[in-house]
Amino acid sequence: SKKILNNFKFSDEEIKNILHCVLVHGLFKKGTAKTKEAEIIQDADKLDRLSVVRIANYFYYGGKKGRSFEDIIVTFKREALKTKEFNTIIGRKLAKEEMDFALKFIDYFKKDWVQEK
């Protein structure tokens, strides 16, 4: 990343901050965010884990591996416990909203699933 960033008109401090954001970015926490930008990027990554599209992925990949409905739900709900790990107030607020919606979605899905059997 540094090699690419050197091609642009960024100051050394800006490059340092961008590299820090890249370092702590990703699904798995690789370090503590030390800037507001890095905190926001980490929160965005964590919010992505809570989306309904991600729920669909849990079902898809869990189903491919032969996991039970309940096991898939337990795995997803484990992500709910991580909502307290958000760096920002807005991140925690959005995470709560996403989890509330996702848990309602799961409840509706489960009711339909049981009725279909």
mmCIF file of all heavy atoms in Angstrom, residues 66-86:
data_model
loop_
_atom_site.group_PDB
_atom_site.id
_atom_site.type_symbol
_atom_site.label_atom_id
_atom_site.label_comp_id
_atom_site.label_asym_id
_atom_site.label_seq_id
_atom_site.Cartn_x
_atom_site.Cartn_y
_atom_site.Cartn_z
ATOM 1 N N GLY A 66 -23.913 -29.087 5.768
ATOM 2 C CA GLY A 66 -24.827 -29.983 6.462
ATOM 3 C C GLY A 66 -25.125 -29.582 7.894
ATOM 4 O O GLY A 66 -25.582 -30.401 8.692
ATOM 5 N N ARG A 67 -24.896 -28.324 8.223
ATOM 6 C CA ARG A 67 -25.169 -27.867 9.588
ATOM 7 C C ARG A 67 -26.674 -27.672 9.771
ATOM 8 O O ARG A 67 -27.385 -27.342 8.849
ATOM 9 C CB ARG A 67 -24.409 -26.574 9.856
ATOM 10 C CG ARG A 67 -22.895 -26.801 9.852
ATOM 11 C CD ARG A 67 -22.097 -25.548 9.973
ATOM 12 N NE ARG A 67 -22.404 -24.874 11.217
ATOM 13 C CZ ARG A 67 -22.221 -23.571 11.401
ATOM 14 N NH1 ARG A 67 -21.745 -22.819 10.446
ATOM 15 N NH2 ARG A 67 -22.513 -23.015 12.557
ATOM 16 N N SER A 68 -27.119 -27.838 10.999
ATOM 17 C CA SER A 68 -28.546 -27.692 11.300
ATOM 18 C C SER A 68 -28.942 -26.215 11.340
ATOM 19 O O SER A 68 -28.096 -25.328 11.508
ATOM 20 C CB SER A 68 -28.864 -28.323 12.662
ATOM 21 O OG SER A 68 -28.312 -27.525 13.708
ATOM 22 N N PHE A 69 -30.246 -25.994 11.202
ATOM 23 C CA PHE A 69 -30.789 -24.638 11.275
ATOM 24 C C PHE A 69 -30.370 -23.985 12.584
ATOM 25 O O PHE A 69 -29.879 -22.860 12.605
ATOM 26 C CB PHE A 69 -32.323 -24.709 11.175
ATOM 27 C CG PHE A 69 -33.000 -23.376 11.228
ATOM 28 C CD1 PHE A 69 -33.235 -22.654 10.075
ATOM 29 C CD2 PHE A 69 -33.399 -22.832 12.451
ATOM 30 C CE1 PHE A 69 -33.859 -21.407 10.125
ATOM 31 C CE2 PHE A 69 -34.016 -21.594 12.510
ATOM 32 C CZ PHE A 69 -34.246 -20.889 11.342
ATOM 33 N N GLU A 70 -30.564 -24.705 13.682
ATOM 34 C CA GLU A 70 -30.242 -24.157 15.005
ATOM 35 C C GLU A 70 -28.756 -23.830 15.137
ATOM 36 O O GLU A 70 -28.395 -22.814 15.710
ATOM 37 C CB GLU A 70 -30.678 -25.121 16.116
ATOM 38 C CG GLU A 70 -32.179 -25.202 16.289
ATOM 39 C CD GLU A 70 -32.830 -23.853 16.598
ATOM 40 O OE1 GLU A 70 -32.235 -23.035 17.330
ATOM 41 O OE2 GLU A 70 -33.942 -23.622 16.101
ATOM 42 N N ASP A 71 -27.905 -24.681 14.610
ATOM 43 C CA ASP A 71 -26.463 -24.441 14.686
ATOM 44 C C ASP A 71 -26.083 -23.180 13.908
ATOM 45 O O ASP A 71 -25.269 -22.381 14.358
ATOM 46 C CB ASP A 71 -25.699 -25.652 14.148
ATOM 47 C CG ASP A 71 -24.205 -25.527 14.347
ATOM 48 O OD1 ASP A 71 -23.784 -25.057 15.425
ATOM 49 O OD2 ASP A 71 -23.456 -25.903 13.428
ATOM 50 N N ILE A 72 -26.702 -22.994 12.762
ATOM 51 C CA ILE A 72 -26.440 -21.797 11.958
ATOM 52 C C ILE A 72 -26.883 -20.549 12.721
ATOM 53 O O ILE A 72 -26.171 -19.547 12.762
ATOM 54 C CB ILE A 72 -27.144 -21.898 10.592
ATOM 55 C CG1 ILE A 72 -26.510 -23.028 9.767
ATOM 56 C CG2 ILE A 72 -27.076 -20.570 9.848
ATOM 57 C CD1 ILE A 72 -27.299 -23.413 8.536
ATOM 58 N N ILE A 73 -28.044 -20.615 13.363
ATOM 59 C CA ILE A 73 -28.556 -19.478 14.126
ATOM 60 C C ILE A 73 -27.638 -19.170 15.304
ATOM 61 O O ILE A 73 -27.332 -18.010 15.585
ATOM 62 C CB ILE A 73 -30.000 -19.746 14.621
ATOM 63 C CG1 ILE A 73 -30.941 -19.914 13.441
ATOM 64 C CG2 ILE A 73 -30.478 -18.642 15.550
ATOM 65 C CD1 ILE A 73 -30.949 -18.772 12.466
ATOM 66 N N VAL A 74 -27.176 -20.205 15.998
ATOM 67 C CA VAL A 74 -26.274 -19.999 17.130
ATOM 68 C C VAL A 74 -24.998 -19.302 16.651
ATOM 69 O O VAL A 74 -24.512 -18.370 17.297
ATOM 70 C CB VAL A 74 -25.940 -21.346 17.824
ATOM 71 C CG1 VAL A 74 -24.756 -21.214 18.764
ATOM 72 C CG2 VAL A 74 -27.158 -21.862 18.561
ATOM 73 N N THR A 75 -24.492 -19.720 15.514
ATOM 74 C CA THR A 75 -23.290 -19.096 14.959
ATOM 75 C C THR A 75 -23.540 -17.624 14.667
ATOM 76 O O THR A 75 -22.724 -16.766 15.013
ATOM 77 C CB THR A 75 -22.850 -19.819 13.671
ATOM 78 O OG1 THR A 75 -22.598 -21.188 13.983
ATOM 79 C CG2 THR A 75 -21.604 -19.198 13.090
ATOM 80 N N PHE A 76 -24.671 -17.330 14.048
ATOM 81 C CA PHE A 76 -24.974 -15.924 13.746
ATOM 82 C C PHE A 76 -25.160 -15.119 15.026
ATOM 83 O O PHE A 76 -24.647 -14.010 15.147
ATOM 84 C CB PHE A 76 -26.226 -15.794 12.871
ATOM 85 C CG PHE A 76 -26.528 -14.360 12.558
ATOM 86 C CD1 PHE A 76 -25.815 -13.692 11.586
ATOM 87 C CD2 PHE A 76 -27.488 -13.670 13.267
ATOM 88 C CE1 PHE A 76 -26.064 -12.353 11.313
ATOM 89 C CE2 PHE A 76 -27.743 -12.334 13.008
ATOM 90 C CZ PHE A 76 -27.025 -11.678 12.023
ATOM 91 N N LYS A 77 -25.875 -15.681 15.991
ATOM 92 C CA LYS A 77 -26.131 -14.941 17.238
ATOM 93 C C LYS A 77 -24.848 -14.670 18.013
ATOM 94 O O LYS A 77 -24.769 -13.695 18.748
ATOM 95 C CB LYS A 77 -27.145 -15.693 18.102
ATOM 96 C CG LYS A 77 -28.558 -15.577 17.549
ATOM 97 C CD LYS A 77 -29.565 -16.259 18.442
ATOM 98 C CE LYS A 77 -30.966 -16.057 17.918
ATOM 99 N NZ LYS A 77 -31.965 -16.722 18.758
ATOM 100 N N ARG A 78 -23.856 -15.521 17.817
ATOM 101 C CA ARG A 78 -22.556 -15.268 18.438
ATOM 102 C C ARG A 78 -22.008 -13.919 17.972
ATOM 103 O O ARG A 78 -21.358 -13.207 18.719
ATOM 104 C CB ARG A 78 -21.595 -16.386 18.086
ATOM 105 C CG ARG A 78 -20.758 -16.821 19.223
ATOM 106 C CD ARG A 78 -19.751 -17.918 18.894
ATOM 107 N NE ARG A 78 -19.824 -18.505 17.586
ATOM 108 C CZ ARG A 78 -20.061 -19.793 17.346
ATOM 109 N NH1 ARG A 78 -20.255 -20.623 18.337
ATOM 110 N NH2 ARG A 78 -20.090 -20.255 16.124
ATOM 111 N N GLU A 79 -22.322 -13.563 16.731
ATOM 112 C CA GLU A 79 -21.907 -12.263 16.206
ATOM 113 C C GLU A 79 -22.585 -11.131 16.979
ATOM 114 O O GLU A 79 -22.029 -10.047 17.107
ATOM 115 C CB GLU A 79 -22.235 -12.145 14.718
ATOM 116 C CG GLU A 79 -21.474 -13.112 13.844
ATOM 117 C CD GLU A 79 -19.977 -12.910 13.883
ATOM 118 O OE1 GLU A 79 -19.523 -11.749 13.995
ATOM 119 O OE2 GLU A 79 -19.246 -13.914 13.801
ATOM 120 N N ALA A 80 -23.795 -11.397 17.481
ATOM 121 C CA ALA A 80 -24.523 -10.371 18.236
ATOM 122 C C ALA A 80 -23.743 -9.961 19.479
ATOM 123 O O ALA A 80 -23.773 -8.798 19.872
ATOM 124 C CB ALA A 80 -25.904 -10.886 18.633
ATOM 125 N N LEU A 81 -23.049 -10.901 20.057
ATOM 126 C CA LEU A 81 -22.275 -10.585 21.260
ATOM 127 C C LEU A 81 -21.143 -9.619 20.951
ATOM 128 O O LEU A 81 -20.690 -8.895 21.831
ATOM 129 C CB LEU A 81 -21.712 -11.874 21.866
ATOM 130 C CG LEU A 81 -22.751 -12.897 22.306
ATOM 131 C CD1 LEU A 81 -22.064 -14.170 22.777
ATOM 132 C CD2 LEU A 81 -23.646 -12.332 23.388
ATOM 133 N N LYS A 82 -20.713 -9.589 19.707
ATOM 134 C CA LYS A 82 -19.606 -8.726 19.316
ATOM 135 C C LYS A 82 -20.053 -7.284 19.072
ATOM 136 O O LYS A 82 -19.217 -6.424 18.851
ATOM 137 C CB LYS A 82 -18.932 -9.278 18.067
ATOM 138 C CG LYS A 82 -18.292 -10.627 18.312
ATOM 139 C CD LYS A 82 -17.679 -11.178 17.052
ATOM 140 C CE LYS A 82 -17.099 -12.555 17.320
ATOM 141 N NZ LYS A 82 -16.523 -13.144 16.129
ATOM 142 N N THR A 83 -21.359 -7.028 19.124
ATOM 143 C CA THR A 83 -21.826 -5.661 18.856
ATOM 144 C C THR A 83 -21.341 -4.689 19.920
ATOM 145 O O THR A 83 -21.294 -3.496 19.684
ATOM 146 C CB THR A 83 -23.357 -5.581 18.746
ATOM 147 O OG1 THR A 83 -23.944 -6.029 19.970
ATOM 148 C CG2 THR A 83 -23.875 -6.394 17.588
ATOM 149 N N LYS A 84 -20.962 -5.193 21.069
ATOM 150 C CA LYS A 84 -20.446 -4.317 22.124
ATOM 151 C C LYS A 84 -19.001 -3.909 21.856
ATOM 152 O O LYS A 84 -18.464 -3.057 22.534
ATOM 153 C CB LYS A 84 -20.566 -5.020 23.475
ATOM 154 C CG LYS A 84 -22.007 -5.224 23.878
ATOM 155 C CD LYS A 84 -22.128 -5.887 25.222
ATOM 156 C CE LYS A 84 -23.585 -5.947 25.594
ATOM 157 N NZ LYS A 84 -24.081 -7.200 25.988
ATOM 158 N N GLU A 85 -18.388 -4.521 20.867
ATOM 159 C CA GLU A 85 -16.997 -4.242 20.545
ATOM 160 C C GLU A 85 -16.836 -3.060 19.586
ATOM 161 O O GLU A 85 -15.735 -2.789 19.133
ATOM 162 C CB GLU A 85 -16.351 -5.478 19.918
ATOM 163 C CG GLU A 85 -16.301 -6.671 20.838
ATOM 164 C CD GLU A 85 -15.764 -7.903 20.138
ATOM 165 O OE1 GLU A 85 -15.334 -7.821 18.977
ATOM 166 O OE2 GLU A 85 -15.791 -8.969 20.770
ATOM 167 N N PHE A 86 -17.918 -2.375 19.267
ATOM 168 C CA PHE A 86 -17.833 -1.265 18.321
ATOM 169 C C PHE A 86 -17.096 -0.087 18.948
ATOM 170 O O PHE A 86 -17.187 0.165 20.142
ATOM 171 C CB PHE A 86 -19.223 -0.863 17.839
ATOM 172 C CG PHE A 86 -19.757 -1.797 16.791
ATOM 173 C CD1 PHE A 86 -20.221 -3.046 17.127
ATOM 174 C CD2 PHE A 86 -19.769 -1.422 15.459
ATOM 175 C CE1 PHE A 86 -20.684 -3.924 16.166
ATOM 176 C CE2 PHE A 86 -20.230 -2.283 14.488
ATOM 177 C CZ PHE A 86 -20.691 -3.533 14.837
#
